[in-house]
Amino acid sequence: VRALRRTQARRALAAYEAAESTRLRRGRHDTGSGDRDVLRAGKSLRNVARHLDQNHDLARGALNVLVANVVGAKGITPEPQPRRADGTIHDAFARELLELWRDWVRVPEVTQELTWPMLQRLAARTWLRDGEVLVQHLEGPVPMLDHGTRVPYSLELIEPDLLPLDFNDATRGIVMGVERNTWGRPRAYHVYRQHPGDVMTLPTAGTLKTIPAAIVTHLKLTDRTRQARGASVFASVLTRLDDLKDYEESERIAAKVAASMAAFIRKGTPDSYAAANPLTDTDPAAPRQMAFRPGMVFDDLLPGEDIGTINTTRPNANAEGWRNGQMRAVSAGLGAGYSSVARQYEGTYNARRQEQVESWVLYDVLQQHFISQLVRPTWERFVRAALAAGVVAVPRDVVPASADDALYQGPVMPALDPLKETNAYLLRERAGFTSGPAIIRSMGGNPREVLEQEATWREQAAARGVRLVSDPAASTAPPPDEIEDDDLDDDAPPAANRHAGGLR
């Protein structure tokens, strides 16, 4: 029977050679669930990733690149889109919400030490490095908490260390601190009352509290379905980064030792040495000490002696190429642009453009994840808290369901050649393939704010008798009198024909 089973197994593997373990290729198989993998390795991955973030410049720089391109310097901001029944935006209500939002983003979290962009960057850094981060939403009156803003709403960042990996209870559906129902939906989170790594220990250390899942956002990186906890984005590249760190330290030490070596005295044959001087009683073969200084002349060499230097191969001429190859692999594993991680901006425009486009697709994936899991829920809860507190009311002509609708603006792909890309935007708008607001958003701006600033600027300039260029694209767009008749549509309204000659 066993022989028959072995024969059947061999036939099954014959179709896929990669599944067969041989003497030259070790078969590696993962038969556990996603939760089991994180339970076994999650804490170790988190600790190693934190160590590299603190002590390895390349790892820290790669993490900085990810955070900067996902969240950016200004953070991801909402652009309110409350609509009337006819689909138009209710500008007045949108302005009210934005005014409240500008007040709230100054101190959005419980410690009142972080602004909204700072909070997002810290949350994104923890999420990417540690694999997860928790955010508790506190709305309305909360004992001993001063929200500090007109809208009674605050956020509390919770490190993953506070959610114990070793707290499991099958009877209650608790897996690594996350309590879930039979469908896998979180019901509650069981977290420590104090960080297990704190220096000062309180009487409540080691005790757990239960937070309902309805007021918690669990931002996590997962690769498997129904995975309760997240794993670091560095998981697949930690070994390479650790080896790269050790290699660079060895090369630095070797180069330092090589630079510290001065010279040595090459001895001659024994018959080259004279006998000891009876007057000075010195032995020519005895050890000597010679002070070494820049520009010195050796005038006390004995017969048969010569000065030599150690021929070292350090610094290693191949070290940079090897390092760059490893950084390319690390960048590929992280989904970050190699040029940004390695700080090497070389190649043709087309090559750099292609790298930038592909990198930004990956950044956008992380950014949309971050928006959907944290930024959008925060905005929706903010609007709900503002309405519940009575600091703003939904106008009668606004569809209630659209009160918290918004677009979310984060970092955008920078232009490699601003002139070329501006001309491309101009042609697209002329052809009706895009709109002015869409162009402004693609450049990282808020259309409503840009329009207001432009109007205010032109009013102030006119009041002071300053004449501004009427067409920002006048250098690239033909003047109206040079537009061919074929460019105009006789059946189109005048507003449409105005765009045939460029932006006005």
Side-chain angles (χ1 to χ4, degrees):
V1 177
R2 292 181 178 177
L4 178 61
R5 289 179 177 175
R6 285 197 299 269
T7 302
Q8 291 175 343
R10 288 171 182 169
R11 290 178 179 177
L13 292 174
Y16 298 98
E17 293 181 358
E20 185 176 0
S21 180
T22 65
R23 179 177 61 86
L24 300 178
R25 183 178 61 251
R26 179 184 175 186
R28 295 178 174 85
H29 305 285
D30 183 2
T31 59
S33 66
D35 287 338
R36 182 181 176 183
D37 291 344
V38 174
L39 178 62
R40 289 185 301 179
K43 186 175 182 179
S44 177
L45 289 176
R46 185 172 67 206
N47 292 340
V48 174
R50 288 178 178 175
H51 174 78
L52 289 176
D53 181 23
Q54 294 172 343
N55 300 282
H56 192 195
D57 48 5
L58 296 178
R60 186 173 184 84
L63 185 57
N64 289 340
V65 168
L66 288 175
V67 173
N69 288 294
V70 171
V71 175
K74 299 180 181 179
I76 299 173
T77 58
E79 182 184 335
Q81 300 286 298
R83 298 183 181 276
R84 300 182 179 88
D86 60 1
T88 58
I89 305 298
H90 196 291
D91 288 333
F93 184 48
R95 293 172 190 273
E96 289 186 71
L97 293 176
L98 273 180
E99 287 299 322
L100 293 173
W101 178 258
R102 291 191 182 99
D103 173 65
W104 182 80
V105 296
R106 296 181 298 105
V107 284
E109 50 92 43
V110 292
T111 67
Q112 298 190 7
E113 295 179 345
L114 304 174
T115 63
W116 175 240
M118 294 167 62
L119 182 146
Q120 289 183 86
R121 286 192 294 272
L122 183 57
R125 191 175 199 87
T126 306
W127 167 53
L128 295 170
R129 182 194 60 214
D130 301 347
E132 57 186 348
V133 66
L134 290 87
V135 181
Q136 183 177 189
H137 303 268
L138 303 169
E139 303 176 32
V142 178
M144 296 183 292
L145 175 62
D146 177 18
H147 292 291
T149 59
R150 287 183 287 170
V151 178
Y153 173 50
S154 297
L155 304 177
E156 180 186 14
L157 291 179
I158 302 175
E159 276 200 318
D161 309 63
L162 293 167
L163 190 62
L165 286 167
D166 56 356
F167 182 52
N168 299 277
D169 189 341
T171 60
R172 299 166 59 186
I174 301 176
V175 179
M176 293 179 286
V178 182
E179 182 176 338
R180 302 182 293 186
N181 63 15
T182 55
W183 292 100
R185 178 182 299 173
R187 292 185 299 196
Y189 294 88
H190 301 269
V191 301
Y192 287 121
R193 294 181 180 274
Q194 182 186 0
H195 196 291
D198 279 346
V199 177
M200 299 183 61
T201 304
L202 302 176
T204 57
T207 61
L208 298 172
K209 64 178 180 179
T210 303
I211 305 178
I215 61 171
V216 174
T217 290
H218 186 193
L219 188 63
K220 57 184 178 179
L221 289 174
T222 58
D223 295 321
R224 307 279 293 273
T225 59
R226 293 203 177 191
Q227 188 174 319
R229 303 291 296 271
S232 173
V233 73
F234 287 97
S236 63
V237 299
L238 280 179
T239 303
R240 190 182 298 275
L241 279 171
D242 207 19
D243 291 344
L244 180 58
K245 181 176 184 294
D246 291 342
Y247 171 80
E248 287 194 322
E249 287 179 354
S250 300
E251 285 291 343
R252 287 202 309 271
I253 293 173
K256 184 176 180 180
V257 171
S260 301
M261 298 300 291
F264 64 91
I265 298 178
R266 185 182 294 109
K267 301 290 186 178
T269 58
D271 56 1
S272 300
Y273 292 88
N277 190 337
L279 299 177
T280 59
D281 196 26
T282 58
D283 184 1
R288 292 171 293 166
Q289 291 185 350
M290 305 174 66
F292 190 80
R293 58 186 181 276
M296 70 171 294
V297 177
F298 293 92
D299 58 353
D300 54 355
L301 294 178
L302 297 176
E305 291 184 342
D306 188 16
I307 296 295
T309 58
I310 294 178
N311 184 17
T312 177
T313 58
R314 296 297 188 277
N316 188 349
N318 298 321
E320 183 177 1
W322 184 87
R323 168 191 176 276
N324 293 342
Q326 298 302 303
M327 288 306 300
R328 288 185 185 277
V330 169
S331 301
L334 294 177
Y338 165 74
S339 297
S340 300
V341 172
R343 294 296 190 269
Q344 289 188 349
Y345 306 99
E346 301 173 351
T348 63
Y349 171 84
N350 290 334
R352 291 178 57 192
R353 177 72 178 177
Q354 182 65 23
E355 179 192 8
Q356 188 181 59
V357 169
E358 293 184 2
S359 299
W360 271 94
V361 171
L362 300 175
Y363 297 147
D364 193 47
V365 170
L366 292 173
Q367 186 179 114
Q368 293 306 314
H369 188 166
F370 191 79
I371 290 173
S372 63
Q373 295 298 309
L374 179 60
V375 181
R376 180 180 291 113
T378 298
W379 169 257
E380 292 173 351
R381 289 175 182 270
F382 168 82
V383 174
R384 183 173 65 190
L387 296 175
V391 294
V392 69
V394 180
R396 293 185 177 182
D397 55 342
V398 169
V399 178
S402 70
D404 58 3
D405 287 357
L407 298 175
Y408 301 93
Q409 182 66 56
V412 297
M413 184 172 66
L416 287 180
D417 191 326
L419 180 59
K420 290 181 179 179
E421 298 188 20
T422 300
N423 288 335
Y425 283 135
L426 177 60
L427 294 175
R428 291 176 188 174
E429 191 191 17
R430 281 183 182 177
F433 296 155
T434 188
S435 64
I439 294 174
I440 294 174
R441 292 189 186 100
S442 67
M443 299 173 67
N446 185 309
R448 185 178 291 105
E449 293 180 353
V450 171
L451 188 61
E452 291 176 354
Q453 293 172 4
E454 181 70 8
T456 302
W457 171 243
R458 291 184 178 277
E459 289 176 1
Q460 294 176 352
R464 289 167 173 76
V466 178
R467 184 177 180 181
L468 300 177
V469 177
S470 60
D471 185 0
S475 60
T476 58
D481 57 349
E482 295 182 8
I483 301 175
E484 299 293 339
D485 293 340
D486 294 338
D487 293 336
L488 305 180
D489 185 355
D490 296 335
D491 298 329
N497 283 331
R498 283 202 300 272
H499 287 281
L503 297 175
R504 290 291 185 271

